[in-house]
Amino acid sequence: MTQQATHPAVSAAAIEAAVRRLLDGGLVAFPTETVYGLGADAENDRAVAGIYAAKGRPSNHPVIVHIAPEGDPAYWAAEVPHEARLLMQAFWPGPLTLILKRAAHVGSAVTGGQDSVGLRCPSHPVAQELLRAFARARPNGQGGLAGPSANKFGQVSPTRAEHVRAEFPDEVSKGMPVLDGGASEVGIESTIIDLSRLDQGVGAVLLRPGHISAAQIAAVLGAPVAQPDRAAPRASGTLKAHYAPHTPLELVDAARMQQALRGVGLPAGRVALVAYAGQPASAPGAGATDQLHWHAVPDDPARYAQALYATLRELDGQGYARILLQAPPRAPEWDAVNDRIGRAAAAFSLDTTGLA
């Protein structure tokens, strides 16, 4: 019998129904501390193919395997090196994905055809309960969920259950469970560290920044973390254009913000200006009838990250012609946010020499 999940909105019966769906090769949307995931049995290639089909995701783009705190990483990896054990001890459960050499039985569906696999142990209590229940239902007690973000490929990741339902109405209408664990605490995807090439003399490589910083990783390993080279494995969320809203988005610096506030070079239609700086007295407020609408977000990088995707999704539904996003500082603590909004802006071919 499944124990009661540790979130009031998700019952033991809901967890059991989700496990049955997974065992039958279906999809389940589940919360994590980063974003909501679209999950399938990581050892069922047909089920994983269902993720790719639902998302419109390229088949060579790997997905991360999520395991319970009691799960054995060595079941999924050909070897779990000392460096990986150190990082697991320091940051698991939590928003850290490790890329390791895959075990022989791990299929190419989750690895994107590569010889490496991404592993993560989420800290969200609902995710953990789901993973534990799924593992208990497996004959060998080892179960993992392939779980990319629960959104169409390249679009804004979901941080609330209602985002998932809006993104996949057809799948939900056909019975796909969406476990509602509340708003995601971190709000952006996990840090991804590659440790798959240690035998080649390549140390830890940062493939995607996240809530856990490169400096924190380096402090645990006692060695610097490198930037990816051409031989680095492909990883989730690392394409040039990603995390994009439907509304055209442009990053703007302070000078361009001032131009926008004066109405210089604005496109036709309503424009949203998203800024972490204090609102000038002359700036129109959100909901005003002026062409430019000011939307404030937190000036702290962690709280900014938590609010980012929900803000973009909210603005997407308000009929704006363009979103102007104030570029955060180029400082290490802002690396993860800058990575996400840079890829979101890259999805649009906008004139970067001005606002027009």
Side-chain angles (χ1 to χ4, degrees):
M1 182 68 177
T2 304
Q3 296 177 353
Q4 175 66 39
T6 53
H7 190 281
V10 181
S11 66
I15 293 289
E16 290 175 351
V19 169
R20 288 195 299 270
R21 187 86 173 188
L22 292 166
L23 293 172
D24 289 340
L27 305 183
V28 171
F30 64 99
T32 79
E33 73 279 14
T34 57
V35 299
Y36 274 67
L38 189 63
D41 180 356
E43 294 185 85
N44 183 332
D45 286 353
R46 181 174 295 182
V48 175
I51 293 178
Y52 284 89
K55 285 176 62 71
R57 185 185 181 96
S59 60
N60 67 347
H61 204 55
V63 293
I64 294 167
V65 176
H66 296 67
I67 62 175
E70 300 81 12
D72 184 5
Y75 178 76
W76 303 95
E79 178 186 3
V80 182
H82 176 65
E83 292 86 345
R85 296 287 184 188
L86 289 175
L87 294 177
M88 291 172 185
Q89 183 177 10
F91 300 114
W92 277 16
L96 175 66
T97 295
L98 298 177
I99 307 296
L100 304 173
K101 290 284 189 183
R102 68 176 178 88
H105 68 89
V106 175
S108 62
V110 295
T111 66
Q114 302 180 115
D115 64 357
S116 57
V117 63
L119 299 178
R120 182 163 106 78
C121 176
S123 63
H124 195 290
V126 174
Q128 290 189 1
E129 184 62 22
L130 176 65
L131 289 163
R132 285 174 171 136
F134 181 64
R136 287 195 296 267
R138 301 280 294 173
N140 60 5
Q142 296 293 334
L145 295 185
S149 55
N151 54 274
K152 297 295 184 179
F153 185 70
Q155 301 299 310
V156 178
S157 300
T159 57
R160 297 179 182 272
E162 56 263 34
H163 298 163
V164 181
R165 296 188 186 101
E167 196 88 355
F168 295 103
D170 291 343
E171 286 76 8
V172 171
S173 69
K174 295 174 183 176
M176 182 183 78
V178 179
L179 301 179
D180 187 347
S184 297
E185 181 181 2
V186 174
I188 59 173
E189 299 79 3
S190 62
T191 304
I192 300 181
I193 297 292
D194 176 33
L195 295 174
S196 68
R197 298 180 290 162
L198 296 176
D199 60 346
Q200 303 172 33
V202 180
V205 175
L206 176 67
L207 299 185
R208 182 176 69 185
H211 185 70
I212 297 170
S213 68
Q216 290 175 289
I217 300 292
V220 170
L221 297 180
V225 177
Q227 294 298 307
D229 56 17
R230 291 185 178 181
R234 297 184 303 277
S236 296
T238 55
L239 297 180
K240 181 178 180 180
H242 217 83
Y243 312 113
H246 297 285
T247 307
L249 181 148
E250 183 179 1
L251 295 179
V252 297
D253 59 16
R256 293 182 184 177
M257 282 182 60
Q258 290 303 314
Q259 288 181 345
L261 290 172
R262 296 195 303 271
V264 177
L266 293 179
R270 298 164 62 246
V271 176
L273 175 56
V274 180
Y276 61 84
Q279 180 174 333
S282 60
T289 57
D290 308 78
Q291 182 187 14
L292 185 70
H293 293 225
W294 184 282
H295 295 263
V297 288
D299 61 1
D300 171 80
R303 292 189 298 122
Y304 186 114
Q306 186 181 47
L308 175 61
Y309 291 154
T311 298
L312 292 180
R313 282 181 170 271
E314 180 183 356
L315 296 178
D316 240 356
Q318 295 183 9
Y320 287 106
R322 186 178 299 180
I323 299 170
L324 305 180
L325 193 68
Q326 181 188 13
R330 288 292 175 182
E333 60 270 24
W334 287 93
D335 280 351
V337 167
N338 276 313
D339 175 82
R340 302 311 191 273
I341 61 177
R343 296 180 196 275
F348 303 97
S349 298
L350 295 176
D351 177 8
T352 58
T353 63
L355 291 175

